[in-house]
Amino acid sequence: MEQYNIQHCQSAKSLLKSGASNYRGEETDRNLAQRVFDITTKFMQPLDVIALDIRSVDELLPPMREVMLALQAYPNLPADYQGLQTVTTWVNKLSTMKASDELTEEDCR
């Protein structure tokens, strides 16, 4: 305390004694950032595949399924979250197609 010249600051003393910081992000789930990162990464995979002009079902379906499963596993995701509905619709559409089928230009938009 003396080293940093905060011996007269009561709030600093109480925080140091309690072992907690005053950082507001600590109230959130510690795994939340990792889950968001994981879902974001999984979202990027099918987008990258399409950006590389790869449109075959066998290349797109596995990463789309990963996105869907990650979203379904996310706790407290609102039931009406449009992203999950959209991804599920695409997974269902791709699942009905042959592995050798390709998406059209319109589908990729």
Side-chain angles (χ1 to χ4, degrees), residues 15-42:
L15 286 172
L16 288 170
K17 286 180 183 177
S18 70
S21 74
N22 206 16
Y23 175 65
R24 298 286 179 234
E26 290 179 357
E27 295 99 25
T28 61
D29 180 11
R30 293 187 186 274
N31 294 323
L32 179 64
Q34 182 60 42
R35 288 179 183 154
V36 170
F37 176 78
D38 184 50
I39 291 171
T40 303
T41 302
K42 286 179 173 33

PDB file of all heavy atoms in Angstrom, residues 15-42:
ATOM      1  N   LEU A  15     -10.740  -3.726  -1.454  1.00  0.00           N
ATOM      2  CA  LEU A  15     -10.626  -4.586  -2.627  1.00  0.00           C
ATOM      3  C   LEU A  15      -9.414  -5.500  -2.528  1.00  0.00           C
ATOM      4  O   LEU A  15      -9.486  -6.684  -2.867  1.00  0.00           O
ATOM      5  CB  LEU A  15     -10.545  -3.750  -3.906  1.00  0.00           C
ATOM      6  CG  LEU A  15     -11.841  -3.097  -4.359  1.00  0.00           C
ATOM      7  CD1 LEU A  15     -11.579  -2.141  -5.516  1.00  0.00           C
ATOM      8  CD2 LEU A  15     -12.862  -4.135  -4.761  1.00  0.00           C
ATOM      9  N   LEU A  16      -8.307  -4.977  -2.043  1.00  0.00           N
ATOM     10  CA  LEU A  16      -7.110  -5.798  -1.887  1.00  0.00           C
ATOM     11  C   LEU A  16      -7.308  -6.892  -0.848  1.00  0.00           C
ATOM     12  O   LEU A  16      -6.887  -8.029  -1.036  1.00  0.00           O
ATOM     13  CB  LEU A  16      -5.902  -4.929  -1.523  1.00  0.00           C
ATOM     14  CG  LEU A  16      -5.366  -4.058  -2.654  1.00  0.00           C
ATOM     15  CD1 LEU A  16      -4.329  -3.074  -2.113  1.00  0.00           C
ATOM     16  CD2 LEU A  16      -4.769  -4.912  -3.751  1.00  0.00           C
ATOM     17  N   LYS A  17      -7.984  -6.575   0.230  1.00  0.00           N
ATOM     18  CA  LYS A  17      -8.235  -7.573   1.272  1.00  0.00           C
ATOM     19  C   LYS A  17      -9.204  -8.645   0.802  1.00  0.00           C
ATOM     20  O   LYS A  17      -9.058  -9.814   1.141  1.00  0.00           O
ATOM     21  CB  LYS A  17      -8.766  -6.897   2.531  1.00  0.00           C
ATOM     22  CG  LYS A  17      -7.700  -6.135   3.282  1.00  0.00           C
ATOM     23  CD  LYS A  17      -8.267  -5.477   4.526  1.00  0.00           C
ATOM     24  CE  LYS A  17      -7.183  -4.656   5.221  1.00  0.00           C
ATOM     25  NZ  LYS A  17      -7.704  -3.936   6.387  1.00  0.00           N
ATOM     26  N   SER A  18     -10.203  -8.261   0.008  1.00  0.00           N
ATOM     27  CA  SER A  18     -11.195  -9.237  -0.457  1.00  0.00           C
ATOM     28  C   SER A  18     -10.666 -10.101  -1.599  1.00  0.00           C
ATOM     29  O   SER A  18     -11.188 -11.174  -1.865  1.00  0.00           O
ATOM     30  CB  SER A  18     -12.466  -8.529  -0.914  1.00  0.00           C
ATOM     31  OG  SER A  18     -12.237  -7.823  -2.118  1.00  0.00           O
ATOM     32  N   GLY A  19      -9.642  -9.645  -2.274  1.00  0.00           N
ATOM     33  CA  GLY A  19      -9.069 -10.403  -3.385  1.00  0.00           C
ATOM     34  C   GLY A  19      -9.821 -10.220  -4.693  1.00  0.00           C
ATOM     35  O   GLY A  19      -9.543 -10.878  -5.674  1.00  0.00           O
ATOM     36  N   ALA A  20     -10.801  -9.335  -4.720  1.00  0.00           N
ATOM     37  CA  ALA A  20     -11.582  -9.081  -5.931  1.00  0.00           C
ATOM     38  C   ALA A  20     -11.121  -7.774  -6.560  1.00  0.00           C
ATOM     39  O   ALA A  20     -10.575  -6.907  -5.894  1.00  0.00           O
ATOM     40  CB  ALA A  20     -13.064  -8.984  -5.588  1.00  0.00           C
ATOM     41  N   SER A  21     -11.368  -7.685  -7.843  1.00  0.00           N
ATOM     42  CA  SER A  21     -11.057  -6.426  -8.510  1.00  0.00           C
ATOM     43  C   SER A  21     -12.353  -5.656  -8.693  1.00  0.00           C
ATOM     44  O   SER A  21     -13.427  -6.135  -8.367  1.00  0.00           O
ATOM     45  CB  SER A  21     -10.400  -6.688  -9.864  1.00  0.00           C
ATOM     46  OG  SER A  21     -11.355  -7.142 -10.787  1.00  0.00           O
ATOM     47  N   ASN A  22     -12.257  -4.489  -9.235  1.00  0.00           N
ATOM     48  CA  ASN A  22     -13.435  -3.680  -9.484  1.00  0.00           C
ATOM     49  C   ASN A  22     -13.837  -3.763 -10.949  1.00  0.00           C
ATOM     50  O   ASN A  22     -14.647  -2.992 -11.416  1.00  0.00           O
ATOM     51  CB  ASN A  22     -13.158  -2.218  -9.085  1.00  0.00           C
ATOM     52  CG  ASN A  22     -14.423  -1.486  -8.708  1.00  0.00           C
ATOM     53  OD1 ASN A  22     -15.450  -2.097  -8.454  1.00  0.00           O
ATOM     54  ND2 ASN A  22     -14.346  -0.168  -8.685  1.00  0.00           N
ATOM     55  N   TYR A  23     -13.285  -4.734 -11.663  1.00  0.00           N
ATOM     56  CA  TYR A  23     -13.578  -4.931 -13.077  1.00  0.00           C
ATOM     57  C   TYR A  23     -14.979  -5.516 -13.223  1.00  0.00           C
ATOM     58  O   TYR A  23     -15.317  -6.526 -12.640  1.00  0.00           O
ATOM     59  CB  TYR A  23     -12.537  -5.856 -13.706  1.00  0.00           C
ATOM     60  CG  TYR A  23     -12.823  -6.215 -15.130  1.00  0.00           C
ATOM     61  CD1 TYR A  23     -12.817  -5.249 -16.125  1.00  0.00           C
ATOM     62  CD2 TYR A  23     -13.102  -7.524 -15.485  1.00  0.00           C
ATOM     63  CE1 TYR A  23     -13.079  -5.577 -17.433  1.00  0.00           C
ATOM     64  CE2 TYR A  23     -13.365  -7.861 -16.799  1.00  0.00           C
ATOM     65  CZ  TYR A  23     -13.345  -6.886 -17.766  1.00  0.00           C
ATOM     66  OH  TYR A  23     -13.610  -7.208 -19.059  1.00  0.00           O
ATOM     67  N   ARG A  24     -15.819  -4.885 -14.029  1.00  0.00           N
ATOM     68  CA  ARG A  24     -17.220  -5.285 -14.153  1.00  0.00           C
ATOM     69  C   ARG A  24     -17.431  -6.557 -14.973  1.00  0.00           C
ATOM     70  O   ARG A  24     -18.467  -7.173 -14.888  1.00  0.00           O
ATOM     71  CB  ARG A  24     -18.036  -4.147 -14.777  1.00  0.00           C
ATOM     72  CG  ARG A  24     -18.037  -2.910 -13.942  1.00  0.00           C
ATOM     73  CD  ARG A  24     -18.941  -3.094 -12.723  1.00  0.00           C
ATOM     74  NE  ARG A  24     -18.921  -1.890 -11.911  1.00  0.00           N
ATOM     75  CZ  ARG A  24     -18.633  -1.865 -10.635  1.00  0.00           C
ATOM     76  NH1 ARG A  24     -18.347  -2.966  -9.999  1.00  0.00           N
ATOM     77  NH2 ARG A  24     -18.620  -0.741  -9.972  1.00  0.00           N
ATOM     78  N   GLY A  25     -16.467  -6.952 -15.759  1.00  0.00           N
ATOM     79  CA  GLY A  25     -16.617  -8.145 -16.591  1.00  0.00           C
ATOM     80  C   GLY A  25     -16.591  -9.439 -15.809  1.00  0.00           C
ATOM     81  O   GLY A  25     -16.919 -10.494 -16.333  1.00  0.00           O
ATOM     82  N   GLU A  26     -16.206  -9.395 -14.536  1.00  0.00           N
ATOM     83  CA  GLU A  26     -16.105 -10.615 -13.755  1.00  0.00           C
ATOM     84  C   GLU A  26     -17.456 -11.220 -13.404  1.00  0.00           C
ATOM     85  O   GLU A  26     -17.524 -12.385 -13.041  1.00  0.00           O
ATOM     86  CB  GLU A  26     -15.313 -10.369 -12.475  1.00  0.00           C
ATOM     87  CG  GLU A  26     -13.852 -10.119 -12.735  1.00  0.00           C
ATOM     88  CD  GLU A  26     -13.072  -9.849 -11.469  1.00  0.00           C
ATOM     89  OE1 GLU A  26     -13.673  -9.806 -10.387  1.00  0.00           O
ATOM     90  OE2 GLU A  26     -11.858  -9.688 -11.577  1.00  0.00           O
ATOM     91  N   GLU A  27     -18.532 -10.454 -13.516  1.00  0.00           N
ATOM     92  CA  GLU A  27     -19.841 -10.996 -13.175  1.00  0.00           C
ATOM     93  C   GLU A  27     -20.335 -11.978 -14.234  1.00  0.00           C
ATOM     94  O   GLU A  27     -21.218 -12.769 -13.980  1.00  0.00           O
ATOM     95  CB  GLU A  27     -20.882  -9.879 -13.014  1.00  0.00           C
ATOM     96  CG  GLU A  27     -20.610  -8.946 -11.867  1.00  0.00           C
ATOM     97  CD  GLU A  27     -19.948  -7.668 -12.321  1.00  0.00           C
ATOM     98  OE1 GLU A  27     -20.107  -7.268 -13.486  1.00  0.00           O
ATOM     99  OE2 GLU A  27     -19.251  -7.062 -11.505  1.00  0.00           O
ATOM    100  N   THR A  28     -19.791 -11.905 -15.450  1.00  0.00           N
ATOM    101  CA  THR A  28     -20.258 -12.784 -16.512  1.00  0.00           C
ATOM    102  C   THR A  28     -19.611 -14.157 -16.382  1.00  0.00           C
ATOM    103  O   THR A  28     -18.589 -14.328 -15.720  1.00  0.00           O
ATOM    104  CB  THR A  28     -19.914 -12.201 -17.894  1.00  0.00           C
ATOM    105  OG1 THR A  28     -18.492 -12.075 -18.002  1.00  0.00           O
ATOM    106  CG2 THR A  28     -20.576 -10.869 -18.100  1.00  0.00           C
ATOM    107  N   ASP A  29     -20.232 -15.113 -17.016  1.00  0.00           N
ATOM    108  CA  ASP A  29     -19.717 -16.475 -17.029  1.00  0.00           C
ATOM    109  C   ASP A  29     -18.317 -16.470 -17.638  1.00  0.00           C
ATOM    110  O   ASP A  29     -18.095 -15.901 -18.700  1.00  0.00           O
ATOM    111  CB  ASP A  29     -20.670 -17.352 -17.848  1.00  0.00           C
ATOM    112  CG  ASP A  29     -20.239 -18.797 -17.942  1.00  0.00           C
ATOM    113  OD1 ASP A  29     -19.317 -19.209 -17.213  1.00  0.00           O
ATOM    114  OD2 ASP A  29     -20.847 -19.529 -18.737  1.00  0.00           O
ATOM    115  N   ARG A  30     -17.394 -17.130 -16.979  1.00  0.00           N
ATOM    116  CA  ARG A  30     -15.999 -17.119 -17.459  1.00  0.00           C
ATOM    117  C   ARG A  30     -15.847 -17.828 -18.806  1.00  0.00           C
ATOM    118  O   ARG A  30     -14.927 -17.562 -19.554  1.00  0.00           O
ATOM    119  CB  ARG A  30     -15.085 -17.756 -16.424  1.00  0.00           C
ATOM    120  CG  ARG A  30     -14.982 -16.931 -15.165  1.00  0.00           C
ATOM    121  CD  ARG A  30     -13.927 -17.506 -14.226  1.00  0.00           C
ATOM    122  NE  ARG A  30     -13.925 -16.820 -12.967  1.00  0.00           N
ATOM    123  CZ  ARG A  30     -13.254 -15.708 -12.717  1.00  0.00           C
ATOM    124  NH1 ARG A  30     -12.532 -15.156 -13.661  1.00  0.00           N
ATOM    125  NH2 ARG A  30     -13.305 -15.140 -11.538  1.00  0.00           N
ATOM    126  N   ASN A  31     -16.755 -18.737 -19.128  1.00  0.00           N
ATOM    127  CA  ASN A  31     -16.670 -19.447 -20.404  1.00  0.00           C
ATOM    128  C   ASN A  31     -17.409 -18.733 -21.527  1.00  0.00           C
ATOM    129  O   ASN A  31     -17.379 -19.186 -22.663  1.00  0.00           O
ATOM    130  CB  ASN A  31     -17.236 -20.861 -20.242  1.00  0.00           C
ATOM    131  CG  ASN A  31     -16.391 -21.702 -19.320  1.00  0.00           C
ATOM    132  OD1 ASN A  31     -15.168 -21.593 -19.315  1.00  0.00           O
ATOM    133  ND2 ASN A  31     -17.028 -22.539 -18.535  1.00  0.00           N
ATOM    134  N   LEU A  32     -18.082 -17.659 -21.209  1.00  0.00           N
ATOM    135  CA  LEU A  32     -18.884 -16.957 -22.204  1.00  0.00           C
ATOM    136  C   LEU A  32     -18.037 -16.478 -23.381  1.00  0.00           C
ATOM    137  O   LEU A  32     -18.400 -16.685 -24.543  1.00  0.00           O
ATOM    138  CB  LEU A  32     -19.622 -15.776 -21.576  1.00  0.00           C
ATOM    139  CG  LEU A  32     -20.480 -14.947 -22.516  1.00  0.00           C
ATOM    140  CD1 LEU A  32     -21.614 -15.786 -23.079  1.00  0.00           C
ATOM    141  CD2 LEU A  32     -21.022 -13.738 -21.793  1.00  0.00           C
ATOM    142  N   ALA A  33     -16.921 -15.859 -23.100  1.00  0.00           N
ATOM    143  CA  ALA A  33     -16.067 -15.345 -24.180  1.00  0.00           C
ATOM    144  C   ALA A  33     -15.576 -16.486 -25.069  1.00  0.00           C
ATOM    145  O   ALA A  33     -15.545 -16.340 -26.298  1.00  0.00           O
ATOM    146  CB  ALA A  33     -14.880 -14.585 -23.596  1.00  0.00           C
ATOM    147  N   GLN A  34     -15.237 -17.605 -24.479  1.00  0.00           N
ATOM    148  CA  GLN A  34     -14.781 -18.752 -25.265  1.00  0.00           C
ATOM    149  C   GLN A  34     -15.899 -19.298 -26.146  1.00  0.00           C
ATOM    150  O   GLN A  34     -15.688 -19.641 -27.299  1.00  0.00           O
ATOM    151  CB  GLN A  34     -14.255 -19.861 -24.348  1.00  0.00           C
ATOM    152  CG  GLN A  34     -13.729 -21.068 -25.094  1.00  0.00           C
ATOM    153  CD  GLN A  34     -12.578 -20.744 -26.023  1.00  0.00           C
ATOM    154  OE1 GLN A  34     -11.685 -19.974 -25.673  1.00  0.00           O
ATOM    155  NE2 GLN A  34     -12.586 -21.309 -27.215  1.00  0.00           N
ATOM    156  N   ARG A  35     -17.115 -19.352 -25.604  1.00  0.00           N
ATOM    157  CA  ARG A  35     -18.257 -19.842 -26.389  1.00  0.00           C
ATOM    158  C   ARG A  35     -18.550 -18.913 -27.561  1.00  0.00           C
ATOM    159  O   ARG A  35     -18.803 -19.372 -28.674  1.00  0.00           O
ATOM    160  CB  ARG A  35     -19.492 -19.957 -25.505  1.00  0.00           C
ATOM    161  CG  ARG A  35     -19.412 -21.092 -24.532  1.00  0.00           C
ATOM    162  CD  ARG A  35     -20.657 -21.118 -23.679  1.00  0.00           C
ATOM    163  NE  ARG A  35     -20.559 -22.161 -22.683  1.00  0.00           N
ATOM    164  CZ  ARG A  35     -21.184 -22.141 -21.535  1.00  0.00           C
ATOM    165  NH1 ARG A  35     -21.979 -21.127 -21.230  1.00  0.00           N
ATOM    166  NH2 ARG A  35     -21.056 -23.128 -20.679  1.00  0.00           N
ATOM    167  N   VAL A  36     -18.521 -17.616 -27.311  1.00  0.00           N
ATOM    168  CA  VAL A  36     -18.774 -16.645 -28.385  1.00  0.00           C
ATOM    169  C   VAL A  36     -17.692 -16.754 -29.450  1.00  0.00           C
ATOM    170  O   VAL A  36     -17.975 -16.755 -30.647  1.00  0.00           O
ATOM    171  CB  VAL A  36     -18.870 -15.215 -27.813  1.00  0.00           C
ATOM    172  CG1 VAL A  36     -18.893 -14.174 -28.925  1.00  0.00           C
ATOM    173  CG2 VAL A  36     -20.096 -15.089 -26.924  1.00  0.00           C
ATOM    174  N   PHE A  37     -16.450 -16.885 -29.043  1.00  0.00           N
ATOM    175  CA  PHE A  37     -15.337 -17.045 -29.981  1.00  0.00           C
ATOM    176  C   PHE A  37     -15.529 -18.308 -30.817  1.00  0.00           C
ATOM    177  O   PHE A  37     -15.341 -18.300 -32.037  1.00  0.00           O
ATOM    178  CB  PHE A  37     -14.008 -17.094 -29.225  1.00  0.00           C
ATOM    179  CG  PHE A  37     -12.825 -17.360 -30.101  1.00  0.00           C
ATOM    180  CD1 PHE A  37     -12.284 -16.345 -30.869  1.00  0.00           C
ATOM    181  CD2 PHE A  37     -12.266 -18.622 -30.169  1.00  0.00           C
ATOM    182  CE1 PHE A  37     -11.193 -16.585 -31.688  1.00  0.00           C
ATOM    183  CE2 PHE A  37     -11.181 -18.868 -30.983  1.00  0.00           C
ATOM    184  CZ  PHE A  37     -10.643 -17.853 -31.746  1.00  0.00           C
ATOM    185  N   ASP A  38     -15.913 -19.398 -30.164  1.00  0.00           N
ATOM    186  CA  ASP A  38     -16.106 -20.671 -30.844  1.00  0.00           C
ATOM    187  C   ASP A  38     -17.213 -20.560 -31.895  1.00  0.00           C
ATOM    188  O   ASP A  38     -17.049 -20.996 -33.038  1.00  0.00           O
ATOM    189  CB  ASP A  38     -16.445 -21.759 -29.814  1.00  0.00           C
ATOM    190  CG  ASP A  38     -16.567 -23.125 -30.437  1.00  0.00           C
ATOM    191  OD1 ASP A  38     -15.655 -23.522 -31.187  1.00  0.00           O
ATOM    192  OD2 ASP A  38     -17.579 -23.813 -30.170  1.00  0.00           O
ATOM    193  N   ILE A  39     -18.334 -19.970 -31.530  1.00  0.00           N
ATOM    194  CA  ILE A  39     -19.445 -19.824 -32.475  1.00  0.00           C
ATOM    195  C   ILE A  39     -19.054 -18.905 -33.628  1.00  0.00           C
ATOM    196  O   ILE A  39     -19.351 -19.197 -34.794  1.00  0.00           O
ATOM    197  CB  ILE A  39     -20.714 -19.319 -31.755  1.00  0.00           C
ATOM    198  CG1 ILE A  39     -21.251 -20.412 -30.822  1.00  0.00           C
ATOM    199  CG2 ILE A  39     -21.783 -18.898 -32.755  1.00  0.00           C
ATOM    200  CD1 ILE A  39     -22.361 -19.960 -29.909  1.00  0.00           C
ATOM    201  N   THR A  40     -18.373 -17.817 -33.321  1.00  0.00           N
ATOM    202  CA  THR A  40     -17.939 -16.885 -34.371  1.00  0.00           C
ATOM    203  C   THR A  40     -17.010 -17.583 -35.358  1.00  0.00           C
ATOM    204  O   THR A  40     -17.146 -17.427 -36.576  1.00  0.00           O
ATOM    205  CB  THR A  40     -17.238 -15.668 -33.748  1.00  0.00           C
ATOM    206  OG1 THR A  40     -18.134 -15.047 -32.827  1.00  0.00           O
ATOM    207  CG2 THR A  40     -16.814 -14.670 -34.805  1.00  0.00           C
ATOM    208  N   THR A  41     -16.079 -18.373 -34.842  1.00  0.00           N
ATOM    209  CA  THR A  41     -15.158 -19.115 -35.702  1.00  0.00           C
ATOM    210  C   THR A  41     -15.919 -20.092 -36.582  1.00  0.00           C
ATOM    211  O   THR A  41     -15.646 -20.212 -37.776  1.00  0.00           O
ATOM    212  CB  THR A  41     -14.131 -19.871 -34.843  1.00  0.00           C
ATOM    213  OG1 THR A  41     -13.426 -18.931 -34.034  1.00  0.00           O
ATOM    214  CG2 THR A  41     -13.145 -20.628 -35.694  1.00  0.00           C
ATOM    215  N   LYS A  42     -16.875 -20.776 -35.990  1.00  0.00           N
ATOM    216  CA  LYS A  42     -17.665 -21.733 -36.760  1.00  0.00           C
ATOM    217  C   LYS A  42     -18.523 -21.035 -37.823  1.00  0.00           C
ATOM    218  O   LYS A  42     -18.744 -21.587 -38.898  1.00  0.00           O
ATOM    219  CB  LYS A  42     -18.530 -22.573 -35.823  1.00  0.00           C
ATOM    220  CG  LYS A  42     -17.726 -23.617 -35.056  1.00  0.00           C
ATOM    221  CD  LYS A  42     -18.616 -24.398 -34.134  1.00  0.00           C
ATOM    222  CE  LYS A  42     -17.978 -25.563 -33.443  1.00  0.00           C
ATOM    223  NZ  LYS A  42     -16.618 -25.543 -33.079  1.00  0.00           N
TER     224      LYS A  42
END
